[in-house]
């Protein structure tokens, strides 16, 4: 076992519902609960796996016609910023001691009320607070330096980890192996890490107006105002771009967040999944007992526009992360400080036919999604500089758009 999470995991939940008038015309409800998230298998391939990620440097004497270098002379052996030389680490050293599971607390308060016989309206307040997270920490030199200051004889050879799994934003205690093979405990406070405290908060107000189906038509209009902000998105990070995977950093619980102190400077702000305003309408109309038409319309405010670059006004690279720090052309660039991507609009239409001879069990359907063929930008290439003081021509290039208009035909039978 390379990781053992703190137990027991208490997940208390308390809810209530009050029928104010006793006739289901006015309901007030609320809920408070704690929810845990399991650790996926991805860290077993990264933190606990013997993977290889090395670079080797050469001089060259010329360039061939096809553009490849000739006359190579090695300047170094294979090197790795994360000590990833394919050596399987001791499982006791992969994660920090007494690791807490990832969990958040959620609070809900809302009401629904009838307006006559034909309408229902309501509102709901939601707050979610991330209390604990698990990610990887990769500043090996800082941990070894603390161990040395405590009098331990440790080296990267005796501790061939590339990164440690830990609880970001708080104190952690590492288990290392000294050169004689003994296990030693190395504590680091959050101040010694150079980190801010962990922060991810969400709050939202959802309102709705609904016309229940009366045998002829149904409709529901919702509006949500929400904010999602902090210095971590969660187990993933969706504003980064990797050519091999497209948009988003999908290495679950091993994102580049919290890898070192510099990558977390100016990291607090609106998260990439922050959409302040969401307006949606859904409805359907029963033309005849056999024919029904439907529509779905959504208007969603765009996500924050990212801009990442080299570190500070001097365009430094203190941790080997190149153009991925929270700086935009030398200036601090917290998430959400560079404006927003465009609003996302989409209209979907549908029709269904249930022939009477099949007792409404057989149905034929046709749906057209994104009728107006909107192809708004959902994500952009986030790195503003391709090298220090040099603008990146790819910056702002769309990496994801709305799916173009498409049609779906379906046949179903209920039994």
């Amino acid at each position: 076992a390379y990781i053992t999470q703190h137990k027991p995991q208490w997940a208390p939940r308390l809810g209530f519902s009050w029928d104010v008038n006793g006739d289901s015309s006015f309901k007030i409800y609320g809920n408070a609960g704690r929810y845990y998230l399991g650790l996926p298998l991805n860290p077993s391939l990264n933190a606990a796996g013997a993977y290889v990620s090395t670079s080797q440097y050469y001089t060259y004497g010329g360039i061939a016609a096809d553009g490849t270098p000739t006359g190579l002379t090695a300047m170094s052996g294979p090197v790795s910023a994360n000590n990833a030389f394919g050596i399987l680490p001791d499982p006791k050293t992969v994660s920090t001691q007494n690791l807490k599971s990832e969990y958040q607390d959620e609070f809900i308060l809302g009401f629904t009320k009838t307006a006559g016989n034909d309408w229902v309206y309501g509102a709901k307040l939601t707050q979610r607070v991330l209390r604990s997270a698990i990610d990887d920490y990769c500043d090996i030199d800082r941990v070894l330096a603390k161990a040395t200051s405590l009098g331990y004889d440790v080296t990267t050879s005796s501790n061939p980890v590339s990164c440690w799994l830990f609880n970001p934003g708080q104190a952690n205690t590492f288990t290392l192996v000294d050169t004689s093979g003994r296990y030693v405990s190395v504590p680091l406070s959050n101040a010694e890490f150079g980190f801010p405290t962990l922060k991810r908060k969400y709050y939202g107000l959802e309102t709705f107006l609904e016309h229940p189906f009366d045998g002829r038509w149904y409709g529901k209009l919702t509006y949500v105002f929400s904010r999602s902000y902090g210095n971590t998105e969660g187990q993933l990070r969706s504003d980064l771009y990797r050519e091999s995977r497209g948009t988003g950093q999908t290495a679950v619980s091993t994102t580049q967040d919290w890898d070192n102190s510099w990558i977390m400077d100016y990291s607090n702000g609106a998260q990439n999944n922050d959409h302040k305003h969401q307006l949606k309408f859904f409805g359907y109309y029963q033309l005849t007992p056999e024919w029904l038409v439907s529509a779905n319309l959504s208007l969603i405010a765009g996500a924050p526009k990212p801009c990442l670059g080299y570190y500070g006004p001097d365009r430094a690279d203190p941790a080997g992360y190149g153009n991925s720090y929270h700086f935009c052309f030398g200036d601090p660039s917290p998430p959400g400080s560079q404006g927003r991507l465009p609003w996302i609009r989409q209209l979907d239409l549908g029709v269904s036919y249930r022939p009477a001879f099949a007792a409404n069990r057989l149905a034929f359907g046709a749906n057209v999604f994104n009728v107006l063929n909107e192809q708004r930008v959902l994500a952009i290439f986030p790195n503003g500089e391709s090298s220090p003081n040099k603008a990146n021509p790819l910056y702002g290039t769309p990496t994801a758009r709305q799916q173009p208009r498409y049609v779906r035909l379906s046949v179903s039978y209920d039994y």
Side-chain angles (χ1 to χ4, degrees):
Y2 64 91
I3 184 171
T4 300
Q5 300 179 65
H6 183 71
K7 295 178 181 180
Q9 296 180 355
W10 294 104
R13 299 172 194 180
L14 177 66
F16 77 93
S17 179
W18 178 28
D19 186 354
V20 178
N21 298 325
D23 58 2
S24 300
S25 63
F26 182 25
K27 181 179 74 171
I28 298 176
Y29 61 92
N31 186 78
R34 173 162 293 180
Y35 301 88
Y36 284 86
L37 188 63
L39 188 71
L41 293 177
N42 181 74
S44 65
L45 302 177
N46 290 355
Y51 78 103
V52 177
S53 179
T54 62
S55 299
Q56 191 167 4
Y57 296 90
Y58 296 83
T59 60
Y60 62 98
I63 300 177
D66 62 357
T68 57
T70 60
L72 295 177
T73 301
M75 296 174 59
S76 72
V79 296
S80 173
N82 287 338
N83 203 26
F85 292 105
I87 303 173
L88 191 68
D90 186 322
K92 291 184 179 180
T93 68
V94 170
S95 62
T96 56
Q97 299 175 18
N98 300 315
L99 196 69
K100 298 181 179 66
S101 300
E102 185 161 347
Y103 69 92
Q104 72 175 13
D105 291 336
E106 180 183 78
F107 308 94
I108 293 175
L109 181 65
F111 78 91
T112 60
K113 193 176 188 307
T114 59
N117 297 323
D118 298 327
W119 296 92
V120 180
Y121 65 95
K124 180 174 69 173
L125 284 168
T126 302
Q127 183 186 41
R128 300 187 182 103
V129 182
L130 184 66
R131 303 295 189 186
S132 174
I134 297 176
D135 213 301
D136 62 338
Y137 179 71
C138 303
D139 193 345
I140 299 171
D141 292 339
R142 185 169 302 208
V143 179
L144 295 183
K146 178 62 183 293
T148 300
S149 71
L150 294 175
Y152 301 131
D153 184 14
V154 295
T155 65
T156 55
S157 297
S158 61
N159 296 275
V161 295
S162 56
C163 299
W164 291 275
L165 294 172
F166 83 132
N167 292 132
Q170 64 182 57
N172 285 264
T173 299
F174 298 83
T175 300
L176 302 185
V177 181
D178 67 10
T179 53
S180 64
R182 295 184 304 118
Y183 293 110
V184 296
S185 295
V186 180
L188 269 79
S189 67
N190 201 45
E192 289 175 310
F193 283 119
F195 282 145
T197 57
L198 177 75
K199 181 181 179 182
R200 191 195 71 191
K201 296 183 178 181
Y202 168 88
Y203 63 84
L205 171 62
E206 177 183 350
T207 60
F208 76 91
L209 176 65
E210 181 180 26
H211 182 281
F213 185 61
D214 59 1
R216 179 61 67 179
W217 71 283
Y218 169 89
K220 185 174 184 179
L221 178 68
T222 65
Y223 167 73
V224 178
F225 172 80
S226 64
R227 296 302 311 275
S228 179
Y229 60 96
N231 52 30
T232 188
E233 192 174 340
Q235 289 189 334
L236 304 175
R237 183 170 169 183
S238 56
D239 63 331
L240 294 178
Y241 179 79
R242 295 292 180 267
E243 293 181 1
S244 62
R245 295 191 295 267
T247 185
Q249 189 173 40
T250 57
V252 184
S253 287
T254 54
T255 70
Q256 73 177 33
D257 282 349
W258 309 103
D259 283 4
N260 54 76
S261 60
W262 299 278
I263 205 72
M264 295 304 294
D265 284 345
Y266 300 103
S267 59
N268 182 45
Q271 291 300 299
N272 197 57
N273 59 356
D274 179 61
H275 299 274
K276 286 185 178 180
H277 309 283
Q278 298 186 53
L279 183 66
K280 298 182 180 181
F281 170 77
F282 171 72
Y284 52 86
Y285 188 84
Q286 191 81 50
L287 293 173
T288 70
E290 296 178 323
W291 289 93
L292 181 143
V293 294
S294 63
N296 185 76
L297 174 66
S298 63
L299 301 171
I300 302 175
K305 181 181 179 182
C307 183
L308 305 173
Y310 285 85
Y311 188 91
D314 297 331
R315 310 303 205 274
D317 186 8
Y321 281 62
N323 57 359
S324 294
Y325 301 97
H326 290 285
F327 285 86
C328 187
F329 303 103
D331 296 323
S333 180
S337 63
Q338 304 296 324
R340 296 268 171 170
L341 297 177
W343 279 65
I344 307 164
R345 304 179 303 196
Q346 182 156 325
L347 173 65
D348 306 326
L349 298 176
V351 60
S352 66
Y353 171 62
R354 289 181 174 270
F357 66 79
N360 289 328
R361 292 179 177 271
L362 178 66
F364 301 90
N367 296 86
V368 182
F369 298 92
N370 195 4
V371 173
L372 302 179
N373 201 29
E374 296 270 8
Q375 296 185 41
R376 298 294 183 95
V377 176
L378 304 180
I380 63 171
F381 197 93
N383 306 102
E385 298 169 292
S386 57
S387 60
N389 293 302
K390 182 178 181 181
N392 189 348
L394 290 177
Y395 175 63
T397 303
T399 58
R401 292 181 180 271
Q402 286 176 264
Q403 190 171 3
R405 180 196 303 124
Y406 68 100
V407 178
R408 183 180 68 196
L409 304 177
S410 61
V411 179
S412 64
Y413 185 81
D414 300 331
Y415 60 92

